Amino acid sequence: MTSISSDTTPNNMADLGTADTRSSGRMACAFCRKRKLRCDRQLPKCESCQRFEYECEYGPRKGLARKEQKSSPVRRLEDRLGRLERLLSQTKNRQASEEEKRCPASEPSGTGKDAVVEWDAELSLFIANAVRELEHVYFVYVHPSLSIIHPSRYLLQVNLDEHLQPPDFLRHAMCALAAPASSIYSSLRETLYQSARKLLQDFELNDQSLDKVTLPQAQTWLLISTYEMLHGFIQRSLMSTSRAVRLVQMMRLHRVDAPNLNRDPIPDALGVPKDWTETEERRRLFWATFLMDRYAGISMGWPTLIDSRDIRTFLPVSNEAYENSTELVTMFLSDSKNAQDAYSLSSFAATILSVECCYSRIQELQRLEPLMGPTALHSDIWTRVSQIESLLESTFHIPPHLSVPPGKLDPSTIFANMGSRAANIVVHQVAMIQAGNVLSVECLQRSGAQCMEAANAIAQLMKLTSHWDLHMFHPSTTFCLYAAASVYGGTWITEPDILKEDTLRFLIEALQKFCKITKLSEILLEAIEEELPGLLDQLKGSQTAAIGLYNE
């Protein structure tokens, strides 16, 4: 729409200014009509549009081309966001000026109040529109790797009455994770993240006794923890994970399939699930929280908050079975470790099993008694060697039906394959640190070959999926790339080889690509530089390999 002032001559403007500037036949401008404000119908701009820096539009001219009347949705959103930023800047400047004057008794001007009200209204409307769009983006990009919310049931729930809809803190946390995948709303991710944290904390503070815990609370803390991990807030992510762990334990989700009411302090926290799908949703929330707890233990070397011996919740089914509400029978984690038939394991369950095996091996390695330096007895040394070699032999292998190829090329299956290899690499690296120089040459060579095999498998899987959108990958994919790059980097520095250099360059370039969407990738690249000083500079100085990675 074009402002009527655009075809008014200077003389006409002067005449309008000296006489009554209102026109009895002119409607209020678009801005005032939309917000039901009193419009003084001044030309070229009414008072409201001048105050908030809007284009004052009284209606299109007759004969205006249709394509000139309407702007693209993206342009309209950009214009609205720009106005919001200007209003926020004005409000902050006004507040700063009042603070400098130190006049707490004085009331803010009417213009200041109106600007704040207008800012709040515009921001609320913009975020509401963004949330509706980003919820669909979430189920396209985030849900395949983090399947803890049932898509169809959630999308039905958001259309119910307001008091029956999912809480805003859950919706904002989902949208914060989805925002980077949206070209229109990517700038809102930090706003949505902070909003989710604040709304959730306010909700919990309003319940003084915290007697009533809900599933969305734990889901939100888990999503917040994932967001914080991806954006480099590592300590904050660990704290959010701890809150999610305690909530799922309070809701007894670690004993979904073997409840023991006599020992649980809050037996009716959630009540009886309505059907199998709701039961499976509880299982998946627990196992996703379990994984975050184990990731913290593996990466930081800390004790975890969940003891696997206390778990009596079945492993999750496949994403397809969950989304289609197809009831399947699975097994407990304790049974799956010794199961002869692994074909019932989903990719989600296989990831859980590989991470648990990795953590348990690391625990055993860290609990080995230290050798007493040069005075250590030969028997102690050989015992240590035997213990370490035994642990290195018991590695986890992905079940054949999930192995890629020929397994499905979906984000969950790809990560199950990558994660199992990365877990084996981590166990070997920890074993080398714990062993010192007591391992035999044969054992070291065997360990190096196994690590190289795992690193090569990760690189091949990454090449196989190099055409994917970066947002489709599992949040922890960058850690798998880091583990593989550290193996290739350490080998290439000591034994330069053109094939190893090409693969190493590919892995480094992949990590650099992920820097566009996650701060975690930058942190891992810095860790590689600290572990292997000069590696990145040497790669830059050598000839660039002809490897195509991701369409820009």
Side-chain angles (χ1 to χ4, degrees), residues 433-474:
I433 295 173
Q434 291 294 106
N437 57 356
V438 301
L439 293 180
S440 64
V441 175
E442 293 79 6
C443 181
L444 292 174
Q445 290 176 345
R446 188 163 57 250
S447 174
Q450 291 177 1
C451 287
M452 181 58 68
E453 181 183 356
N456 181 63
I458 292 173
Q460 295 306 316
L461 287 166
M462 197 66 209
K463 291 178 181 179
L464 192 63
T465 56
S466 60
H467 61 284
W468 284 7
D469 188 300
L470 289 173
H471 301 91
M472 289 295 297
F473 288 92
H474 190 280

mmCIF file of all heavy atoms in Angstrom, residues 433-474:
data_model
loop_
_atom_site.group_PDB
_atom_site.id
_atom_site.type_symbol
_atom_site.label_atom_id
_atom_site.label_comp_id
_atom_site.label_asym_id
_atom_site.label_seq_id
_atom_site.Cartn_x
_atom_site.Cartn_y
_atom_site.Cartn_z
ATOM 1 N N ILE A 433 45.595 -43.281 27.941
ATOM 2 C CA ILE A 433 45.986 -42.344 29.002
ATOM 3 C C ILE A 433 46.201 -43.087 30.318
ATOM 4 O O ILE A 433 47.185 -42.852 31.035
ATOM 5 C CB ILE A 433 44.910 -41.249 29.160
ATOM 6 C CG1 ILE A 433 44.837 -40.395 27.889
ATOM 7 C CG2 ILE A 433 45.206 -40.373 30.373
ATOM 8 C CD1 ILE A 433 43.694 -39.406 27.880
ATOM 9 N N GLN A 434 45.284 -43.998 30.633
ATOM 10 C CA GLN A 434 45.380 -44.741 31.886
ATOM 11 C C GLN A 434 46.551 -45.723 31.889
ATOM 12 O O GLN A 434 47.157 -45.985 32.927
ATOM 13 C CB GLN A 434 44.084 -45.510 32.135
ATOM 14 C CG GLN A 434 42.883 -44.635 32.446
ATOM 15 C CD GLN A 434 43.027 -43.900 33.767
ATOM 16 O OE1 GLN A 434 43.264 -42.697 33.798
ATOM 17 N NE2 GLN A 434 42.914 -44.620 34.869
ATOM 18 N N ALA A 435 46.902 -46.243 30.710
ATOM 19 C CA ALA A 435 47.945 -47.273 30.649
ATOM 20 C C ALA A 435 49.344 -46.698 30.774
ATOM 21 O O ALA A 435 50.260 -47.371 31.248
ATOM 22 C CB ALA A 435 47.820 -48.045 29.344
ATOM 23 N N GLY A 436 49.513 -45.460 30.345
ATOM 24 C CA GLY A 436 50.865 -44.912 30.354
ATOM 25 C C GLY A 436 51.697 -45.595 29.280
ATOM 26 O O GLY A 436 51.306 -45.691 28.117
ATOM 27 N N ASN A 437 52.862 -46.102 29.672
ATOM 28 C CA ASN A 437 53.747 -46.766 28.703
ATOM 29 C C ASN A 437 53.928 -48.256 29.008
ATOM 30 O O ASN A 437 54.963 -48.832 28.697
ATOM 31 C CB ASN A 437 55.118 -46.083 28.700
ATOM 32 C CG ASN A 437 55.752 -46.081 30.088
ATOM 33 O OD1 ASN A 437 55.127 -46.517 31.064
ATOM 34 N ND2 ASN A 437 56.984 -45.596 30.183
ATOM 35 N N VAL A 438 52.910 -48.847 29.638
ATOM 36 C CA VAL A 438 53.059 -50.254 30.037
ATOM 37 C C VAL A 438 52.510 -51.224 29.000
ATOM 38 O O VAL A 438 52.754 -52.425 29.092
ATOM 39 C CB VAL A 438 52.363 -50.510 31.395
ATOM 40 C CG1 VAL A 438 52.958 -49.623 32.474
ATOM 41 C CG2 VAL A 438 50.853 -50.304 31.285
ATOM 42 N N LEU A 439 51.764 -50.737 27.989
ATOM 43 C CA LEU A 439 51.179 -51.637 27.007
ATOM 44 C C LEU A 439 52.236 -52.087 26.001
ATOM 45 O O LEU A 439 53.167 -51.360 25.671
ATOM 46 C CB LEU A 439 50.023 -50.955 26.278
ATOM 47 C CG LEU A 439 48.783 -50.631 27.117
ATOM 48 C CD1 LEU A 439 47.732 -49.969 26.248
ATOM 49 C CD2 LEU A 439 48.217 -51.880 27.777
ATOM 50 N N SER A 440 52.035 -53.279 25.495
ATOM 51 C CA SER A 440 52.963 -53.829 24.509
ATOM 52 C C SER A 440 52.790 -53.143 23.165
ATOM 53 O O SER A 440 51.764 -52.506 22.892
ATOM 54 C CB SER A 440 52.726 -55.326 24.350
ATOM 55 O OG SER A 440 51.427 -55.561 23.825
ATOM 56 N N VAL A 441 53.805 -53.283 22.302
ATOM 57 C CA VAL A 441 53.739 -52.692 20.967
ATOM 58 C C VAL A 441 52.584 -53.291 20.179
ATOM 59 O O VAL A 441 51.864 -52.589 19.455
ATOM 60 C CB VAL A 441 55.073 -52.913 20.225
ATOM 61 C CG1 VAL A 441 54.975 -52.419 18.787
ATOM 62 C CG2 VAL A 441 56.216 -52.230 20.955
ATOM 63 N N GLU A 442 52.370 -54.600 20.318
ATOM 64 C CA GLU A 442 51.284 -55.260 19.603
ATOM 65 C C GLU A 442 49.927 -54.699 20.021
ATOM 66 O O GLU A 442 49.047 -54.470 19.180
ATOM 67 C CB GLU A 442 51.314 -56.775 19.851
ATOM 68 C CG GLU A 442 52.519 -57.490 19.260
ATOM 69 C CD GLU A 442 53.775 -57.314 20.109
ATOM 70 O OE1 GLU A 442 53.662 -56.734 21.222
ATOM 71 O OE2 GLU A 442 54.853 -57.750 19.684
ATOM 72 N N CYS A 443 49.777 -54.477 21.322
ATOM 73 C CA CYS A 443 48.502 -53.930 21.822
ATOM 74 C C CYS A 443 48.293 -52.516 21.299
ATOM 75 O O CYS A 443 47.179 -52.147 20.901
ATOM 76 C CB CYS A 443 48.486 -53.949 23.345
ATOM 77 S SG CYS A 443 46.946 -53.336 24.075
ATOM 78 N N LEU A 444 49.329 -51.705 21.288
ATOM 79 C CA LEU A 444 49.218 -50.336 20.789
ATOM 80 C C LEU A 444 48.871 -50.327 19.304
ATOM 81 O O LEU A 444 48.045 -49.509 18.858
ATOM 82 C CB LEU A 444 50.529 -49.582 21.036
ATOM 83 C CG LEU A 444 50.876 -49.297 22.505
ATOM 84 C CD1 LEU A 444 52.265 -48.681 22.609
ATOM 85 C CD2 LEU A 444 49.842 -48.372 23.133
ATOM 86 N N GLN A 445 49.522 -51.200 18.540
ATOM 87 C CA GLN A 445 49.233 -51.264 17.108
ATOM 88 C C GLN A 445 47.800 -51.717 16.861
ATOM 89 O O GLN A 445 47.109 -51.182 15.983
ATOM 90 C CB GLN A 445 50.223 -52.217 16.430
ATOM 91 C CG GLN A 445 51.646 -51.683 16.367
ATOM 92 C CD GLN A 445 52.623 -52.696 15.768
ATOM 93 O OE1 GLN A 445 52.302 -53.888 15.661
ATOM 94 N NE2 GLN A 445 53.801 -52.221 15.393
ATOM 95 N N ARG A 446 47.355 -52.700 17.615
ATOM 96 C CA ARG A 446 45.983 -53.194 17.466
ATOM 97 C C ARG A 446 44.980 -52.106 17.826
ATOM 98 O O ARG A 446 43.964 -51.923 17.137
ATOM 99 C CB ARG A 446 45.787 -54.428 18.339
ATOM 100 C CG ARG A 446 44.472 -55.133 18.111
ATOM 101 C CD ARG A 446 44.481 -56.560 18.682
ATOM 102 N NE ARG A 446 44.787 -56.556 20.106
ATOM 103 C CZ ARG A 446 45.940 -57.013 20.619
ATOM 104 N NH1 ARG A 446 46.889 -57.480 19.811
ATOM 105 N NH2 ARG A 446 46.160 -57.010 21.932
ATOM 106 N N SER A 447 45.258 -51.356 18.885
ATOM 107 C CA SER A 447 44.376 -50.257 19.284
ATOM 108 C C SER A 447 44.333 -49.167 18.227
ATOM 109 O O SER A 447 43.261 -48.649 17.881
ATOM 110 C CB SER A 447 44.836 -49.680 20.623
ATOM 111 O OG SER A 447 44.083 -48.538 20.968
ATOM 112 N N GLY A 448 45.524 -48.821 17.683
ATOM 113 C CA GLY A 448 45.574 -47.793 16.640
ATOM 114 C C GLY A 448 44.806 -48.201 15.400
ATOM 115 O O GLY A 448 44.100 -47.375 14.782
ATOM 116 N N ALA A 449 44.906 -49.488 15.027
ATOM 117 C CA ALA A 449 44.182 -49.965 13.848
ATOM 118 C C ALA A 449 42.672 -49.923 14.066
ATOM 119 O O ALA A 449 41.909 -49.548 13.160
ATOM 120 C CB ALA A 449 44.635 -51.391 13.518
ATOM 121 N N GLN A 450 42.225 -50.274 15.269
ATOM 122 C CA GLN A 450 40.787 -50.238 15.564
ATOM 123 C C GLN A 450 40.264 -48.803 15.555
ATOM 124 O O GLN A 450 39.165 -48.541 15.057
ATOM 125 C CB GLN A 450 40.523 -50.913 16.904
ATOM 126 C CG GLN A 450 40.752 -52.417 16.901
ATOM 127 C CD GLN A 450 40.544 -53.045 18.272
ATOM 128 O OE1 GLN A 450 40.211 -52.367 19.242
ATOM 129 N NE2 GLN A 450 40.743 -54.362 18.358
ATOM 130 N N CYS A 451 41.037 -47.888 16.109
ATOM 131 C CA CYS A 451 40.627 -46.476 16.098
ATOM 132 C C CYS A 451 40.567 -45.934 14.675
ATOM 133 O O CYS A 451 39.634 -45.200 14.319
ATOM 134 C CB CYS A 451 41.592 -45.645 16.937
ATOM 135 S SG CYS A 451 41.431 -45.880 18.717
ATOM 136 N N MET A 452 41.552 -46.287 13.849
ATOM 137 C CA MET A 452 41.556 -45.821 12.466
ATOM 138 C C MET A 452 40.372 -46.392 11.691
ATOM 139 O O MET A 452 39.750 -45.695 10.880
ATOM 140 C CB MET A 452 42.876 -46.207 11.798
ATOM 141 C CG MET A 452 42.997 -45.736 10.350
ATOM 142 S SD MET A 452 42.826 -43.926 10.181
ATOM 143 C CE MET A 452 44.318 -43.377 11.007
ATOM 144 N N GLU A 453 40.041 -47.639 11.955
ATOM 145 C CA GLU A 453 38.885 -48.253 11.295
ATOM 146 C C GLU A 453 37.596 -47.525 11.680
ATOM 147 O O GLU A 453 36.736 -47.254 10.827
ATOM 148 C CB GLU A 453 38.797 -49.731 11.679
ATOM 149 C CG GLU A 453 37.635 -50.465 11.028
ATOM 150 C CD GLU A 453 37.531 -51.914 11.484
ATOM 151 O OE1 GLU A 453 38.408 -52.361 12.256
ATOM 152 O OE2 GLU A 453 36.567 -52.593 11.073
ATOM 153 N N ALA A 454 37.460 -47.212 12.971
ATOM 154 C CA ALA A 454 36.264 -46.495 13.428
ATOM 155 C C ALA A 454 36.218 -45.081 12.848
ATOM 156 O O ALA A 454 35.156 -44.610 12.416
ATOM 157 C CB ALA A 454 36.249 -46.441 14.956
ATOM 158 N N ALA A 455 37.366 -44.387 12.821
ATOM 159 C CA ALA A 455 37.413 -43.031 12.280
ATOM 160 C C ALA A 455 37.085 -43.019 10.793
ATOM 161 O O ALA A 455 36.378 -42.126 10.299
ATOM 162 C CB ALA A 455 38.787 -42.416 12.530
ATOM 163 N N ASN A 456 37.576 -44.004 10.060
ATOM 164 C CA ASN A 456 37.282 -44.088 8.628
ATOM 165 C C ASN A 456 35.792 -44.342 8.396
ATOM 166 O O ASN A 456 35.197 -43.779 7.466
ATOM 167 C CB ASN A 456 38.103 -45.204 7.991
ATOM 168 C CG ASN A 456 37.853 -45.313 6.505
ATOM 169 O OD1 ASN A 456 38.132 -44.398 5.741
ATOM 170 N ND2 ASN A 456 37.308 -46.442 6.082
ATOM 171 N N ALA A 457 35.174 -45.161 9.245
ATOM 172 C CA ALA A 457 33.730 -45.420 9.110
ATOM 173 C C ALA A 457 32.934 -44.144 9.324
ATOM 174 O O ALA A 457 31.952 -43.873 8.605
ATOM 175 C CB ALA A 457 33.298 -46.493 10.103
ATOM 176 N N ILE A 458 33.347 -43.327 10.310
ATOM 177 C CA ILE A 458 32.651 -42.048 10.557
ATOM 178 C C ILE A 458 32.791 -41.140 9.346
ATOM 179 O O ILE A 458 31.821 -40.492 8.905
ATOM 180 C CB ILE A 458 33.219 -41.378 11.821
ATOM 181 C CG1 ILE A 458 32.854 -42.191 13.065
ATOM 182 C CG2 ILE A 458 32.701 -39.951 11.950
ATOM 183 C CD1 ILE A 458 33.507 -41.694 14.338
ATOM 184 N N ALA A 459 33.994 -41.062 8.773
ATOM 185 C CA ALA A 459 34.212 -40.212 7.604
ATOM 186 C C ALA A 459 33.368 -40.678 6.418
ATOM 187 O O ALA A 459 32.782 -39.849 5.697
ATOM 188 C CB ALA A 459 35.694 -40.210 7.238
ATOM 189 N N GLN A 460 33.280 -41.989 6.204
ATOM 190 C CA GLN A 460 32.490 -42.519 5.091
ATOM 191 C C GLN A 460 31.000 -42.224 5.283
ATOM 192 O O GLN A 460 30.290 -41.899 4.325
ATOM 193 C CB GLN A 460 32.729 -44.024 4.946
ATOM 194 C CG GLN A 460 34.150 -44.397 4.555
ATOM 195 C CD GLN A 460 34.632 -43.684 3.310
ATOM 196 O OE1 GLN A 460 33.893 -43.581 2.315
ATOM 197 N NE2 GLN A 460 35.853 -43.180 3.347
ATOM 198 N N LEU A 461 30.528 -42.327 6.523
ATOM 199 C CA LEU A 461 29.123 -42.005 6.794
ATOM 200 C C LEU A 461 28.847 -40.530 6.542
ATOM 201 O O LEU A 461 27.781 -40.162 6.035
ATOM 202 C CB LEU A 461 28.784 -42.373 8.243
ATOM 203 C CG LEU A 461 28.666 -43.869 8.556
ATOM 204 C CD1 LEU A 461 28.666 -44.103 10.059
ATOM 205 C CD2 LEU A 461 27.398 -44.447 7.932
ATOM 206 N N MET A 462 29.808 -39.683 6.884
ATOM 207 C CA MET A 462 29.634 -38.247 6.656
ATOM 208 C C MET A 462 29.618 -37.937 5.164
ATOM 209 O O MET A 462 28.826 -37.107 4.694
ATOM 210 C CB MET A 462 30.766 -37.485 7.348
ATOM 211 C CG MET A 462 30.482 -36.000 7.521
ATOM 212 S SD MET A 462 29.112 -35.746 8.665
ATOM 213 C CE MET A 462 28.449 -34.211 8.032
ATOM 214 N N LYS A 463 30.469 -38.603 4.397
ATOM 215 C CA LYS A 463 30.462 -38.407 2.951
ATOM 216 C C LYS A 463 29.156 -38.906 2.340
ATOM 217 O O LYS A 463 28.630 -38.311 1.390
ATOM 218 C CB LYS A 463 31.653 -39.139 2.329
ATOM 219 C CG LYS A 463 33.005 -38.527 2.667
ATOM 220 C CD LYS A 463 34.147 -39.329 2.059
ATOM 221 C CE LYS A 463 35.492 -38.721 2.434
ATOM 222 N NZ LYS A 463 36.638 -39.497 1.870
ATOM 223 N N LEU A 464 28.639 -39.983 2.891
ATOM 224 C CA LEU A 464 27.395 -40.558 2.384
ATOM 225 C C LEU A 464 26.212 -39.614 2.576
ATOM 226 O O LEU A 464 25.253 -39.645 1.801
ATOM 227 C CB LEU A 464 27.131 -41.891 3.094
ATOM 228 C CG LEU A 464 26.046 -42.802 2.521
ATOM 229 C CD1 LEU A 464 26.408 -43.266 1.115
ATOM 230 C CD2 LEU A 464 25.841 -44.012 3.434
ATOM 231 N N THR A 465 26.278 -38.775 3.596
ATOM 232 C CA THR A 465 25.168 -37.853 3.910
ATOM 233 C C THR A 465 25.560 -36.393 3.676
ATOM 234 O O THR A 465 24.917 -35.489 4.200
ATOM 235 C CB THR A 465 24.742 -38.032 5.382
ATOM 236 O OG1 THR A 465 25.896 -37.841 6.232
ATOM 237 C CG2 THR A 465 24.187 -39.413 5.623
ATOM 238 N N SER A 466 26.594 -36.147 2.883
ATOM 239 C CA SER A 466 27.081 -34.780 2.693
ATOM 240 C C SER A 466 26.097 -33.891 1.954
ATOM 241 O O SER A 466 26.250 -32.679 1.932
ATOM 242 C CB SER A 466 28.416 -34.797 1.940
ATOM 243 O OG SER A 466 28.258 -35.409 0.670
ATOM 244 N N HIS A 467 25.075 -34.496 1.332
ATOM 245 C CA HIS A 467 24.058 -33.699 0.630
ATOM 246 C C HIS A 467 22.943 -33.241 1.571
ATOM 247 O O HIS A 467 22.078 -32.459 1.157
ATOM 248 C CB HIS A 467 23.455 -34.537 -0.501
ATOM 249 C CG HIS A 467 22.786 -35.789 -0.021
ATOM 250 N ND1 HIS A 467 23.507 -36.913 0.375
ATOM 251 C CD2 HIS A 467 21.473 -36.106 0.135
ATOM 252 C CE1 HIS A 467 22.662 -37.862 0.745
ATOM 253 N NE2 HIS A 467 21.421 -37.413 0.618
ATOM 254 N N TRP A 468 22.944 -33.681 2.813
ATOM 255 C CA TRP A 468 21.881 -33.312 3.750
ATOM 256 C C TRP A 468 22.002 -31.846 4.156
ATOM 257 O O TRP A 468 23.096 -31.265 4.151
ATOM 258 C CB TRP A 468 21.964 -34.171 5.018
ATOM 259 C CG TRP A 468 21.463 -35.571 4.867
ATOM 260 C CD1 TRP A 468 21.082 -36.192 3.708
ATOM 261 C CD2 TRP A 468 21.296 -36.529 5.910
ATOM 262 N NE1 TRP A 468 20.695 -37.481 3.969
ATOM 263 C CE2 TRP A 468 20.810 -37.717 5.307
ATOM 264 C CE3 TRP A 468 21.506 -36.512 7.280
ATOM 265 C CZ2 TRP A 468 20.537 -38.870 6.047
ATOM 266 C CZ3 TRP A 468 21.233 -37.651 8.012
ATOM 267 C CH2 TRP A 468 20.751 -38.816 7.405
ATOM 268 N N ASP A 469 20.876 -31.303 4.573
ATOM 269 C CA ASP A 469 20.887 -30.011 5.246
ATOM 270 C C ASP A 469 21.570 -30.180 6.601
ATOM 271 O O ASP A 469 21.337 -31.158 7.311
ATOM 272 C CB ASP A 469 19.438 -29.530 5.434
ATOM 273 C CG ASP A 469 19.365 -28.099 5.944
ATOM 274 O OD1 ASP A 469 19.905 -27.840 7.043
ATOM 275 O OD2 ASP A 469 18.772 -27.253 5.261
ATOM 276 N N LEU A 470 22.410 -29.237 6.975
ATOM 277 C CA LEU A 470 23.158 -29.353 8.233
ATOM 278 C C LEU A 470 22.238 -29.506 9.439
ATOM 279 O O LEU A 470 22.606 -30.149 10.431
ATOM 280 C CB LEU A 470 24.054 -28.123 8.421
ATOM 281 C CG LEU A 470 25.263 -28.000 7.493
ATOM 282 C CD1 LEU A 470 25.941 -26.650 7.706
ATOM 283 C CD2 LEU A 470 26.247 -29.124 7.735
ATOM 284 N N HIS A 471 21.058 -28.922 9.364
ATOM 285 C CA HIS A 471 20.138 -28.958 10.503
ATOM 286 C C HIS A 471 19.507 -30.330 10.708
ATOM 287 O O HIS A 471 18.874 -30.563 11.742
ATOM 288 C CB HIS A 471 19.038 -27.912 10.328
ATOM 289 C CG HIS A 471 19.563 -26.504 10.207
ATOM 290 N ND1 HIS A 471 19.860 -25.932 8.992
ATOM 291 C CD2 HIS A 471 19.854 -25.578 11.145
ATOM 292 C CE1 HIS A 471 20.298 -24.712 9.185
ATOM 293 N NE2 HIS A 471 20.307 -24.467 10.473
ATOM 294 N N MET A 472 19.666 -31.237 9.736
ATOM 295 C CA MET A 472 19.061 -32.561 9.844
ATOM 296 C C MET A 472 19.867 -33.495 10.740
ATOM 297 O O MET A 472 19.338 -34.496 11.230
ATOM 298 C CB MET A 472 18.926 -33.201 8.458
ATOM 299 C CG MET A 472 17.881 -32.569 7.573
ATOM 300 S SD MET A 472 16.195 -32.753 8.210
ATOM 301 C CE MET A 472 16.003 -34.531 8.179
ATOM 302 N N PHE A 473 21.137 -33.191 10.979
ATOM 303 C CA PHE A 473 21.989 -34.115 11.710
ATOM 304 C C PHE A 473 21.681 -34.090 13.210
ATOM 305 O O PHE A 473 21.188 -33.089 13.749
ATOM 306 C CB PHE A 473 23.462 -33.756 11.492
ATOM 307 C CG PHE A 473 23.963 -34.081 10.114
ATOM 308 C CD1 PHE A 473 23.922 -33.144 9.097
ATOM 309 C CD2 PHE A 473 24.461 -35.344 9.825
ATOM 310 C CE1 PHE A 473 24.372 -33.438 7.827
ATOM 311 C CE2 PHE A 473 24.921 -35.656 8.559
ATOM 312 C CZ PHE A 473 24.874 -34.703 7.550
ATOM 313 N N HIS A 474 22.013 -35.197 13.860
ATOM 314 C CA HIS A 474 21.857 -35.309 15.309
ATOM 315 C C HIS A 474 22.709 -34.241 15.993
ATOM 316 O O HIS A 474 23.810 -33.900 15.518
ATOM 317 C CB HIS A 474 22.301 -36.705 15.759
ATOM 318 C CG HIS A 474 21.970 -37.015 17.182
ATOM 319 N ND1 HIS A 474 22.735 -36.560 18.238
ATOM 320 C CD2 HIS A 474 20.963 -37.746 17.728
ATOM 321 C CE1 HIS A 474 22.211 -36.994 19.369
ATOM 322 N NE2 HIS A 474 21.127 -37.711 19.088
#
